[in-house]
Amino acid sequence: MFRRLTLVLVLVLSAAVAAATTSRDADSAAQGSSATRMQFGFYDDAQVLGNTTWAFNQLRLLRAGVVRTTLDWGTVARRRPVRPTDPGDPAYNWTAVDRMVDEADKKGIRVILAIYGTPRWAGPARNRIPRRVTDLRSFANAAARRYSGTYTVKEQENELERTLPAVRSWLAWNEPNNPVFLRPQWKLVARKWRVQAAYDYAKICSAIYAGVKSTRLAGQKVACGATGPRGNDAPRSSRPSTSPLVFMSSLRRAGVKRMDAYAHHPYYGHRSEKPATVSRSKKAVTMGNIGVLIKQINRLWGRKTRLWVTEYGYQTNPPDRLFGVSYRNQALYMKQAVAMARKTRRIDMFVWFLIRDEGRLSGWQSGVVTRRGARKPAYRTFQTFAR
């Protein structure tokens, strides 16, 4: 009798342990699946920062999971802070960013903050490396502390303190292989042309990475790169730029060894190109040859480094007759590009540019909403695969 009872107890305990293990494994699998599940969102500073309530109402209707927003260093810090790592320093004005982060939190949308723009007091121009990269590192640290999920603020003296929402996704600069966003691109060093932008960007990337990570908050991800799709690699030209693959190699030589993800903007080059079209130029990396970029990431930073598409889109005709495609094709190409991104199993994030068309024709008309507020077919297409 005693032996039989002992055997029953052993079997019961074994079953319980097995059930607990199975449950724990299932939870881990679910968490792993959630961690690698591709998220979809938008990048549209004009609407998100300038028309915040409307923008987030649209993002909720679109079922967007993420929103990329520029954290403009020069706008937040118009003068040099006395305590640069203190987000409460009087030199900082976070008002617009706070409001945006609050709205995102209310709508359950994850925020990606892209730090960009050297202030006048820190360097010669917005698209130049700061004279002291420690200033950039301090700013990144202050931003990560402010949006840690534990930082409290009080709007007015008679109001209660409130805790600002957390931000865990960060992006270093924007298209550093494009002279619009970082200059100079090339420089003669010992009578040889060097990709100076990559060497300057190495310091920018490292400063932002170190500033954010020094807070030691769980779940923080910092992406570097954010490269544009093309470059001419012509240092003597009137507008020198750098092709993404050349830029990446130079970035690794410049000393960048760590990043959580590499970001890229695989735009089409001509309105006749579909997402699967491979560009004739070997200097371009679009969705059609995104596998080449992934191989480069593997070689330079390893297979664990993820890939974020932090900007992509197709302009429409109307109104853009030069670069635009039809409304129908915009929706179709969006669907095709997302399918291609999912197939790679490496892309964690796919961000569309824009929510709403820009007003000026020289700008971008890649929104899912026209300037007058009408929804394009791509609006519904986005809803079908988001979240």
Side-chain angles (χ1 to χ4, degrees):
M1 181 69 180
F2 179 75
R3 289 181 180 177
R4 187 178 300 171
L5 181 60
T6 301
L7 179 60
V8 170
L9 288 173
V10 168
L11 291 173
V12 169
L13 287 172
S14 298
V17 170
T21 302
T22 302
S23 176
R24 184 170 59 250
D25 290 345
D27 289 343
S28 298
Q31 290 173 5
S33 174
S34 175
T36 57
R37 179 177 177 268
M38 192 186 302
Q39 290 194 306
F40 303 96
F42 285 87
Y43 170 37
D44 191 338
D45 282 344
Q47 301 303 320
V48 169
L49 294 175
N51 193 12
T52 307
T53 301
W54 179 88
F56 278 97
N57 284 338
Q58 294 302 314
L59 289 170
R60 182 175 63 176
L61 291 171
L62 284 158
R63 302 171 188 164
V66 296
V67 59
R68 173 191 164 185
T69 308
T70 302
L71 179 55
D72 194 314
W73 181 20
T75 298
V76 174
R78 294 191 180 277
R79 66 181 191 275
R80 181 182 291 277
V82 176
R83 300 180 303 279
T85 60
D86 179 6
D89 189 283
Y92 291 136
N93 183 353
W94 307 91
T95 304
V97 187
D98 285 354
R99 185 185 178 201
M100 180 275 301
V101 171
D102 280 334
E103 284 296 319
D105 185 61
K106 291 175 186 176
K107 300 297 190 295
I109 297 171
R110 173 182 164 194
V111 173
I112 310 159
L113 286 179
I115 297 177
Y116 172 76
T118 301
R120 289 184 178 181
W121 53 264
R126 283 171 52 78
N127 63 349
R128 299 267 185 164
I129 187 173
R131 285 183 288 268
R132 301 188 315 184
V133 290
T134 52
D135 288 333
L136 178 56
R137 174 175 175 168
S138 295
F139 176 72
N141 178 260
R145 290 176 62 189
R146 188 172 186 88
Y147 303 113
S148 63
T150 60
Y151 191 82
T152 58
V153 295
K154 186 162 58 173
E155 302 291 338
Q156 298 178 6
E157 289 297 327
N158 59 345
E159 289 186 358
L160 296 174
E161 287 188 341
R162 64 185 181 88
T163 303
L164 290 170
V167 173
R168 291 292 185 268
S169 299
W170 301 84
L171 184 61
W173 225 247
N174 182 65
E175 298 194 356
N177 61 324
N178 183 336
V180 171
F181 300 104
L182 188 60
R183 296 185 65 185
Q185 286 287 301
W186 295 78
K187 184 179 180 180
L188 270 175
V189 178
R191 297 184 180 182
K192 291 184 179 180
W193 286 104
R194 182 173 80 171
V195 186
Q196 187 59 37
Y199 281 79
D200 288 345
Y201 182 69
K203 296 176 182 177
I204 290 172
C205 166
S206 297
I208 293 174
Y209 185 94
V212 170
K213 293 285 187 173
S214 63
T215 58
R216 297 181 180 179
L217 298 170
Q220 289 176 321
K221 301 292 182 183
V222 180
C224 290
T227 39
R230 281 164 286 279
N232 56 28
D233 299 332
R236 295 185 184 276
S237 67
S238 59
R239 189 183 181 278
S241 57
T242 313
S243 60
L245 298 180
V246 169
F247 186 89
M248 294 168 75
S249 295
S250 296
L251 185 62
R252 185 64 180 83
R253 283 196 296 271
V256 174
K257 298 179 180 180
R258 293 182 302 173
M259 61 180 77
D260 298 307
Y262 188 88
H264 184 64
H265 306 158
Y267 282 109
Y268 67 107
H270 189 272
R271 64 183 179 182
S272 64
E273 293 182 12
K274 301 176 182 180
T277 302
V278 177
S279 175
R280 293 180 181 179
S281 172
K282 294 183 179 180
K283 296 180 182 295
V285 177
T286 63
M287 283 303 301
N289 64 335
I290 198 71
V292 173
L293 187 91
I294 293 174
K295 288 180 180 178
Q296 182 90 317
I297 293 172
N298 292 344
R299 183 174 67 84
L300 299 176
W301 293 290
R303 294 179 177 274
K304 291 184 179 180
T305 303
R306 306 302 296 173
L307 175 57
W308 293 358
V309 174
T310 47
E311 196 172 326
Y312 188 75
Y314 270 86
Q315 299 194 74
T316 57
N317 175 20
D320 194 320
R321 296 182 180 180
L322 186 60
F323 297 106
V325 301
S326 68
Y327 284 7
R328 177 181 175 278
N329 279 344
Q330 184 197 39
L332 177 63
Y333 295 165
M334 174 189 281
K335 184 177 180 179
Q336 291 175 353
V338 168
M340 293 172 67
R342 279 178 164 154
K343 192 175 181 179
T344 68
R345 299 185 180 181
R346 190 67 170 273
I347 298 174
D348 293 340
M349 186 184 306
F350 194 96
V351 176
W352 190 268
F353 182 78
L354 303 150
I355 303 171
R356 188 174 190 169
D357 287 350
E358 293 183 343
R360 67 190 194 283
L361 191 59
S362 60
W364 275 75
Q365 283 74 46
S366 54
V368 295
V369 176
T370 69
R371 184 61 187 168
R372 293 186 177 183
R375 296 179 181 179
K376 301 178 187 179
Y379 193 104
R380 177 57 183 161
T381 299
F382 188 93
Q383 288 176 318
T384 61
F385 54 72
R387 288 195 177 179

